Amino acid sequence: DAGITQSPRHKVTETGTPVTLRCHQTENHRYMYWYRQDPGHGLRLIHYSYGVKDTDKGEVSDGYSVSRSKTEDFLLTLESATSSQTSVYFCAIKPLGSGSSPLHFGNGTRLTVT
Amino acid sequence: AQKVTQAQTEISVVEKEDVTLDCVYETRDTTYYLFWYKQPPSGELVFLIRRNSFDEQNEISGRYSWNFQKSTSSFNFTITASQVVDSAVYFCALSELTQGGSEKLVFGKGTKLTVNP
């Protein structure tokens, strides 16, 4: 258990509403990531963070924003949800270590936009 | 940009059969890392193995083995004597350094393995 908690675990929302997903970690890891998982696409990176207030875009960042005001929390916001954002969202952390340490993932948030 | 290709979308085998999951990658980096993850039906993502580009030794862990070949840019995963509990989606991933000096993983689309009793 890498101490990652995602909330909520499930959410149903309507098109056009704002949605915020939260990722909380307990181990002060510097690097945090948001991925989405869709059938036929695998996992695709939305945004990532390399420190407090330091974030950057991934390959599918359109329609999403993130914030990291403290080490332990990484928030993903859909400003105006669309049906194409129906997906399973995974948060991940990357522990420091020699070479490239593997990402540890949270249990995911299943978001449905109706 | 990095790319990972898992050409097998779905594989179905009968228990005790051996099965190999293919992974082909593209990168311009001379130093990189490759990973395999397992996603069982319960949905969590479980790390299986990490391999760096300088270590081409095959690795075996119980019924699992990995064959890394730089010459063909492949990192294949074999399950020997498959079991029903091996049924899962398996992802291959490649590390990519970002411009800011941090790192991210690029994933393949996954291979769904079904092991039938």
Side-chain angles (χ1 to χ4, degrees):
Chain A
D1 184 359
I4 307 168
T5 304
Q6 291 186 233
S7 58
R9 292 296 313 279
H10 302 271
K11 185 168 183 68
V12 180
T13 192
E14 293 184 351
T15 298
T17 59
V19 176
T20 295
L21 308 183
R22 181 185 184 228
C23 178
H24 178 79
Q25 57 142 331
T26 58
E27 300 180 3
N28 289 322
H29 295 298
R30 179 181 174 189
Y31 297 100
M32 298 184 75
Y33 306 79
W34 277 108
Y35 283 85
R36 61 177 288 176
Q37 182 180 9
D38 305 288
H41 291 279
L43 289 126
R44 293 179 293 175
L45 183 65
I46 305 171
H47 282 279
Y48 63 98
S49 170
Y50 46 96
V52 173
K53 297 186 180 179
D54 291 323
T55 65
D56 205 349
K57 296 179 180 180
E59 63 178 306
V60 290
S61 59
D62 287 348
Y64 301 94
S65 62
V66 289
S67 66
R68 192 163 179 206
S69 58
K70 46 186 177 178
T71 301
E72 57 265 36
D73 289 326
F74 192 30
L75 304 180
L76 177 70
T77 297
L78 293 66
E79 300 291 347
S80 177
T82 67
S83 58
S84 64
Q85 293 175 311
T86 292
S87 187
V88 180
Y89 291 86
F90 285 96
C91 173
I93 57 95
K94 180 177 177 303
L96 287 178
S98 60
S100 178
S101 50
L103 300 188
H104 295 282
F105 288 86
N107 288 327
T109 294
R110 184 174 295 275
L111 176 68
T112 302
V113 183
T114 61
Chain B
Q2 328 294 72
K3 184 178 179 181
V4 176
T5 300
Q6 295 180 256
Q8 304 150 309
T9 305
E10 294 192 37
I11 300 175
S12 182
V13 300
V14 177
E15 210 170 15
K16 298 185 183 178
E17 282 187 38
D18 298 346
V19 58
T20 295
L21 309 182
D22 297 332
C23 174
V24 174
Y25 62 92
E26 296 176 28
T27 180
R28 293 181 179 179
D29 295 342
T30 54
T31 301
Y32 52 90
Y33 290 80
L34 294 158
F35 303 80
W36 276 95
Y37 283 83
K38 175 182 180 179
Q39 186 177 44
S42 51
E44 72 272 23
L45 286 154
V46 179
F47 164 71
L48 295 177
I49 191 172
R50 176 191 72 179
R51 175 53 51 91
N52 75 53
S53 53
F54 294 107
D55 184 2
E56 288 195 70
Q57 277 193 326
N58 290 336
E59 179 144 349
I60 299 174
S61 176
R63 295 183 297 106
Y64 294 174
S65 62
W66 291 269
N67 179 250
F68 175 36
Q69 292 194 340
K70 282 181 82 170
S71 60
T72 56
S73 297
S74 64
F75 186 41
N76 296 337
F77 173 30
T78 297
I79 302 174
T80 302
S82 60
Q83 300 176 1
V84 172
V85 294
D86 296 326
S87 296
V89 180
Y90 291 87
F91 291 99
C92 181
L94 171 66
S95 63
E96 178 179 350
L97 282 176
T98 69
Q99 288 185 339
S102 56
E103 192 176 86
K104 56 187 178 182
L105 290 191
V106 176
F107 284 83
K109 295 182 179 181
T111 297
K112 181 178 181 181
L113 174 65
T114 302
V115 182
N116 298 298

